[in-house]
Every structure is written in structure tokens, then in C-alpha cells.
Amino acid sequence: MKTAVLVLDGVFDSGVSAVLDVLHTANALRDRLPGAPPPAFDIRTVGVRRTVRTGLGHRIDTEPARTAEDADLLVVPALMERRPEALVEAVASAGHRTARRLLAEARERRTPLATSCTGTFLLAESGVLDGRRATTSWWLAPVFRDRYRKVTVDETRMVTTSDGITTAGAAFSHLDLALAIVGMRSPALADLVRHYLVVDDRASQAAYAIPSALARHDPLVAAFEQWVRARIAEPLSIAGAARDLGVSERTLQRTVARTLGCPPIRLVQDLRVEQAEHLLRTTGLPLAAVARRVGYESPGALRALLHRRLGKGPRALRPAGPA
């Protein structure tokens, strides 16, 4: 399987390393599987320049990007840019025009594409994600959703594939992305690589998201978040929130949906989960008391919500006792 890894100036150092490490580890371990081994990955590091400088200033020598024209897969590691406005400016700049054209041409050839974190912005800017589902770094999702309205983004997912394009979440999900690539060829080999590299199976980013960081993208959503936090132990009404914030309920619903991709009640639940997790980790309060402090009369309702959002129950969130 000819796999081209397209590295660009300012690339995220560990993103490149994670993809290459996982794919080369898969090649090293493939003979340890019972039966005939899956095909090896023919890994090429390509670029629009012969020498690329990473985000931390390291040099990577590349093969010409034209050698990727017959690739079975084109992988684009993320760019090291943590400022949303600067990221959007970078992916839309003349400096990445050639990369955008390469991605569009690869898509015209139906070459499968894969990227993670900020790399999803470059794919979206090139137009190849239009009409498709994608994920990205959870904290960049409001910016992504606002700029690329033809893309359906779900930042709760760690990895998602839509019509031959695989995208992954925040920076270190490059590991999850690379393991997903291996898994497409051989699930057994992906599991073996996962064990050798000691990488947990992480299906969701939801447990890592910080609601306040997402809410800050829009003033009304930020005000709604603060309104909820001030009343988190009380029964809450979205209509009451809209009235107190001086907007219609419909405006509040639409603004939260546009910014966060979910209804206001989902943000309320996320804030309650965040506070409940904090209390479970830092206090000895019984579950019933924690539930009351975050607005639930029934501890069972909180338990079910924790399992749904975090994939674990209250007991797993308690600190471990002394050995």
C-alpha cells in the first residue's frame, strides 16, 4: 500500500512522528500475525519543497509531491498553529496554494485522504470536505463550523471516515488516525501495534472537551454558559435563560446550535458532567449529594449521563486509594 505523507512548512512535529512511527511499527510487526501477513506499507514522505521546516524548526527532507500521484493514500499531518485566526489565515494563504491544489487533484483521482487536528482546516479550505462528515480538534470546532458550513463536523468523535476521507481530533489523535489507517488493512495488526505502543482505544474526544473554551467563541453562548454555571444546582429552563439574557428562546437555540453544533440542553448537561466529575475526583461526597449539587434529584440520572458522556461511571472517577 503506497502511502504518501505530505509534510508542509510549520508541520506539527509529533504529528509527523506519530504517523510514521505507527506505520513503520506496523511493517515491523506484520509477520508476527498468524497466517499470511497483510501487505506492507510503502511509506513516502513528500512535500511541495525538497526541505521542510517543522513547527519547532527541525528539517525534513522530502520527495517531490508528484511522486504521490499514484499513492493509495495521502496523509496530511497537522500544522503547528494554536491560534484560530492565524490558522484560518495560514490555510487560506498563497503559501499553501500548491498544497490545496494537490489535495483537490488527489480527490479528483479518488485517492483516499487522511488528516488530523488543524490539518482538517487545510482539507476543508481546499473544498474536499464539502458535503462530508469530519472531526477536528474539539477546541477548534466552533471556528471550523463557522467557516466551513458545507461540512458536517462532529468534534466528539476521535476518528471519522466519510466517502474515503478520514479525519481525527486534537493533536495527539494522530496516533488514533494512524492506527485507524492500519486497521483499515488489518484490524488484528492495528490491535497488535496498539499493544506494543501502549495506546488506549479512544473513540471520543467528549471527555476532554472544556465547555467554557467552546462557549467563548460567541458572546451570547458565553453569557448562557455563565448563566448555567450560576444556577447549576437548580432546575433550569431554556426559556428562562433566554428571558434573562434578553433574547428570544429561538435565538438562543439557533446561536448555540450554530456555535457548538448542539442544542442548549446539551451544553447544560456538559457543564453538569464537568462539575460532577470535579466533585467526584476532589471530594468524598456520596453520589446522591453530588447529583443534587449539579441539578439532579436522582443519582441514577447522573450515573447514566456520566456513562453516556465519559464512558465510565462514578466509581471510576474517584481517586485511587493508597497502595
Side-chain angles (χ1 to χ4, degrees), residues 84-97:
E85 297 80 7
L87 172 61
V88 170
E89 182 179 346
V91 298
S93 69
H96 286 307
R97 183 182 296 123

Side-chain angles (χ1 to χ4, degrees), residues 146-189:
D146 186 52
R147 182 169 179 83
Y148 306 113
R149 300 191 179 186
K150 295 181 180 179
V151 186
T152 301
V153 63
D154 180 1
E155 68 273 23
T156 67
R157 300 293 300 272
M158 192 69 76
V159 179
T160 189
T161 298
S162 179
D163 192 23
I165 301 179
T166 302
T167 53
F172 284 103
S173 64
H174 282 87
L175 284 170
D176 305 87
L177 178 71
L179 285 163
I181 291 168
V182 176
M184 291 174 191
R185 304 291 289 181
S186 170
L189 181 56

Side-chain angles (χ1 to χ4, degrees), residues 12-96:
F12 187 61
D13 293 63
S14 64
V16 180
S17 299
V19 170
L20 295 176
D21 284 345
V22 168
L23 296 181
H24 281 288
T25 300
N27 280 348
L29 297 177
R30 52 190 283 273
D31 290 329
R32 301 191 186 187
L33 294 175
F41 290 92
D42 176 8
I43 307 159
R44 312 284 179 88
T45 303
V46 304
V48 298
R49 298 180 180 177
R50 294 305 301 268
T51 300
V52 169
R53 288 288 179 180
T54 71
L56 293 179
H58 297 111
R59 192 179 82 172
I60 299 178
D61 295 329
T62 70
E63 299 180 40
R66 65 175 180 274
T67 63
E69 290 180 359
D70 62 342
D72 299 303
L73 173 68
L74 179 60
V75 185
V76 187
L79 300 174
M80 183 181 278
E81 178 54 73
R82 300 178 180 87
R83 298 165 298 166
E85 297 80 7
L87 172 61
V88 170
E89 182 179 346
V91 298
S93 69
H96 286 307

Side-chain angles (χ1 to χ4, degrees), residues 71-127:
D72 299 303
L73 173 68
L74 179 60
V75 185
V76 187
L79 300 174
M80 183 181 278
E81 178 54 73
R82 300 178 180 87
R83 298 165 298 166
E85 297 80 7
L87 172 61
V88 170
E89 182 179 346
V91 298
S93 69
H96 286 307
R97 183 182 296 123
T98 302
R100 295 194 301 271
R101 187 184 72 247
L102 286 171
L103 291 168
E105 291 172 351
R107 188 58 193 167
E108 288 177 3
R109 295 191 299 269
R110 304 298 295 175
T111 301
L113 305 174
T115 192
S116 184
C117 191
T118 58
T120 57
F121 281 72
L122 186 60
L123 264 65
E125 194 69 31
S126 71

